[in-house]
Amino acid sequence: MTQDPRLIRAASGTAPPTSATALRRANLSSVLRQLRDHVSRSRADIAEATGLHRATVSNLVAELLEWDLVREVGIEHVGAVGRPRRAVALHGAHVGALGLEINVDYISVHGRDLSGHVLVERRVSFDAVGSGTDRSLRRLGLVAREAIEAMKRAGAVPAGVAVAIPALVDVACGVVRFAPNLDWHDLPLADRLSSALGPLSVPVMVDNDANLAALAEYTSGVAAGTPHMVYLTGEVGVGGGIIVDGRLLRGADGFSGEVGHLPVDPAGARCGCGRHGCWETKVGLAALARAAMPEQAYTLPGLPVSDPEERATEIARRLAAGDRGMLEAVTQVGRWLGLGGSIVANLFNPRVIVVGGYFATLAEWLLPHAQAELERLVVAGPAPQCRFTASDLGFGAASRGAASMVVNHLIDDPTTIMSSLPRPTVP
């Protein structure tokens, strides 16, 4: 894969290290970043890519081997004479990264080790709106503790937790400033979850769900490595993660990507943000359920919480059976999806708009209408070849991206692993 986008924090623009400790940390990070972005690399390749002296790279790799964060993976032959180079790759089976997502109607979990091996993955139906803040945080803490224990049983000590949430998030402070569909305001989510985890003492981070899903898509999705792309969540609400030149566009306050609140119909329905006619009132799963499955609308009291994937699967079943009312409703959603997509395309000129959540489940019915509307309305015409495509990461994209956030944080400062985890024993 091509160079890392540094979606969580740009590496450029930081002051050069001024101490031996800072220099060692930066150099270890440079080596690990190379191994994250490639399946394997020789020491010579790492030295060439980072500009570090070969002897320095050899010493750094030796230290990482000692801590079992990398492993030898064999001999590579390069050049006309087949000069051998011993390659290394990320390992870290004893280091865990836990990603969580809390949304309107579920909590999602994705835990893996540093080398990418999945240790725990699940989704729990949960009515976060009806439960309120305190009960929701207690349930999130319980799910997190269960996941951490599962990771420990698999031999990995969790080195961090990241939470994805459909909200405006102050990432630096871990504070949810405003979550329209959850009705959460100025919630110190990182601190509250840290307290819920108690003596486990695991660092907690928080970010917007669409941003983290975009990270997952860029690194391992259907459009991996595409430097100009937009990811759209397909949930009760709709958010966007915007990648420009391989980097996440955050904006002045970190609140960019709230595309679900683009005003597309001033006379439309009231949105969870308090305004009328937002894009998500036309294309969100709640809007489709209200139009095509009124007996299962989100606003009806007394209904059991239904997992969004189950709702999407039921809609797909009715579409496949030729349900005329469902086909008409999905056609309208597809057209609105294309209209909003054209606004996004006119603003950011992406090569691809990746749709996740229920959009991906219903892609064969939604995307033809969305693509036609996009091509009709985009100012530049079909020449730029912007296209919709369906994610293959399912409803777990955001929690997967949250785990990647933890991994990136650890790679930014590998000494946090070395200082907090027990030294691996050699059998």
Side-chain angles (χ1 to χ4, degrees), residues 106-233:
Y106 66 89
I107 296 172
S108 179
V109 177
H110 180 92
R112 65 175 184 261
D113 64 25
L114 191 60
S115 62
H117 179 65
V118 178
L119 305 175
V120 57
E121 192 166 46
R122 60 190 292 237
R123 191 171 64 251
V124 180
S125 294
F126 178 68
D127 181 7
V129 177
S131 298
T133 305
D134 291 339
R135 284 182 58 199
S136 294
L137 291 180
R138 285 197 297 271
R139 185 61 181 276
L140 182 65
L142 174 62
V143 171
R145 289 194 298 273
E146 290 174 346
I148 288 171
E149 291 305 318
M151 294 172 72
K152 287 182 176 179
R153 288 194 298 271
V157 177
V161 177
V163 183
I165 183 167
L168 300 176
V169 178
D170 184 335
V171 176
C173 301
V175 174
V176 175
R177 292 303 179 194
F178 180 38
N181 292 310
L182 295 172
D183 196 26
W184 293 1
H185 303 262
D186 295 319
L187 175 69
L189 179 54
D191 288 345
R192 293 283 299 273
L193 183 56
S194 292
S195 297
L197 294 177
L200 293 173
S201 187
V202 181
V204 177
M205 297 168 281
V206 184
D207 204 343
N208 173 266
D209 63 333
N211 286 345
L212 293 177
L215 170 60
E217 289 293 341
Y218 187 94
T219 55
S220 59
V222 293
T226 303
H228 296 272
M229 63 175 282
V230 172
Y231 175 85
L232 299 177
T233 62

Side-chain angles (χ1 to χ4, degrees), residues 42-45 54 74-87:
S42 70
R43 292 162 178 80
D45 288 336
R54 288 194 182 191
I75 301 293
E76 295 179 351
H77 293 274
V78 297
V81 296
R83 180 162 48 90
R85 293 179 175 180
R86 186 174 296 277

Side-chain angles (χ1 to χ4, degrees), residues 49-419:
T50 61
L52 296 172
H53 193 278
R54 288 194 182 191
T56 300
V57 171
S58 293
N59 290 335
L60 294 167
V61 169
E63 184 175 3
L64 293 169
L65 283 166
E66 180 183 357
W67 283 94
D68 203 23
L69 297 177
V70 303
R71 62 189 175 92
E72 304 274 9
V73 293
I75 301 293
E76 295 179 351
H77 293 274
V78 297
V81 296
R83 180 162 48 90
R85 293 179 175 180
R86 186 174 296 277
V88 292
L90 274 181
H91 184 44
H94 61 301
V95 180
L98 178 60
L100 304 169
E101 178 192 5
I102 183 164
N103 215 305
V104 169
D105 42 17
Y106 66 89
I107 296 172
S108 179
V109 177
H110 180 92
R112 65 175 184 261
D113 64 25
L114 191 60
S115 62
H117 179 65
V118 178
L119 305 175
V120 57
E121 192 166 46
R122 60 190 292 237
R123 191 171 64 251
V124 180
S125 294
F126 178 68
D127 181 7
V129 177
S131 298
T133 305
D134 291 339
R135 284 182 58 199
S136 294
L137 291 180
R138 285 197 297 271
R139 185 61 181 276
L140 182 65
L142 174 62
V143 171
R145 289 194 298 273
E146 290 174 346
I148 288 171
E149 291 305 318
M151 294 172 72
K152 287 182 176 179
R153 288 194 298 271
V157 177
V161 177
V163 183
I165 183 167
L168 300 176
V169 178
D170 184 335
V171 176
C173 301
V175 174
V176 175
R177 292 303 179 194
F178 180 38
N181 292 310
L182 295 172
D183 196 26
W184 293 1
H185 303 262
D186 295 319
L187 175 69
L189 179 54
D191 288 345
R192 293 283 299 273
L193 183 56
S194 292
S195 297
L197 294 177
L200 293 173
S201 187
V202 181
V204 177
M205 297 168 281
V206 184
D207 204 343
N208 173 266
D209 63 333
N211 286 345
L212 293 177
L215 170 60
E217 289 293 341
Y218 187 94
T219 55
S220 59
V222 293
T226 303
H228 296 272
M229 63 175 282
V230 172
Y231 175 85
L232 299 177
T233 62
E235 308 278 353
V236 170
V238 176
I242 301 162
I243 309 298
V244 177
D245 284 331
R247 298 180 185 274
L248 183 68
L249 181 67
R250 285 196 173 276
D253 299 303
F255 298 159
S256 67
E258 291 297 321
V259 296
H261 300 289
L262 289 170
V264 296
D265 182 8
R270 184 178 176 85
C271 179
C273 72
R275 299 167 179 82
H276 288 80
C278 292
W279 189 27
E280 72 177 41
T281 68
K282 300 294 186 181
V283 300
L285 182 55
L288 178 57
R290 186 168 56 249
M293 307 165 66
E295 74 283 359
Q296 298 184 35
Y298 278 85
T299 54
L300 293 179
L303 286 180
V305 177
S306 178
D307 184 276
E309 189 169 16
E310 294 176 2
R311 286 182 185 257
T313 300
E314 171 62 16
I315 293 170
R317 186 192 67 77
R318 295 191 190 185
L319 289 168
D323 185 314
R324 185 175 297 277
M326 189 68 72
L327 286 166
E328 291 176 356
V330 168
T331 296
Q332 287 302 312
V333 169
R335 289 171 179 164
W336 281 109
L337 183 61
L339 183 148
S342 72
I343 298 173
V344 171
N346 286 333
L347 285 172
F348 303 109
N349 187 208
R351 182 62 64 225
V352 61
I353 300 175
V354 181
V355 296
Y358 98 89
F359 292 149
T361 304
L362 306 183
E364 65 178 285
W365 295 280
L366 279 173
L367 295 195
H369 303 291
Q371 187 67 37
E373 199 71 359
L374 173 71
E375 293 176 3
R376 185 179 72 86
L377 294 174
V378 73
V379 172
Q385 299 177 336
C386 179
R387 60 185 175 86
F388 281 100
T389 191
S391 169
D392 61 0
L393 298 182
F395 283 83
S399 56
R400 182 185 294 263
S404 293
M405 182 181 187
V406 175
V407 171
N408 286 343
H409 179 73
L410 296 176
I411 286 176
D412 281 343
D413 185 2
T415 59
T416 59
I417 309 173
M418 298 172 177
S419 63

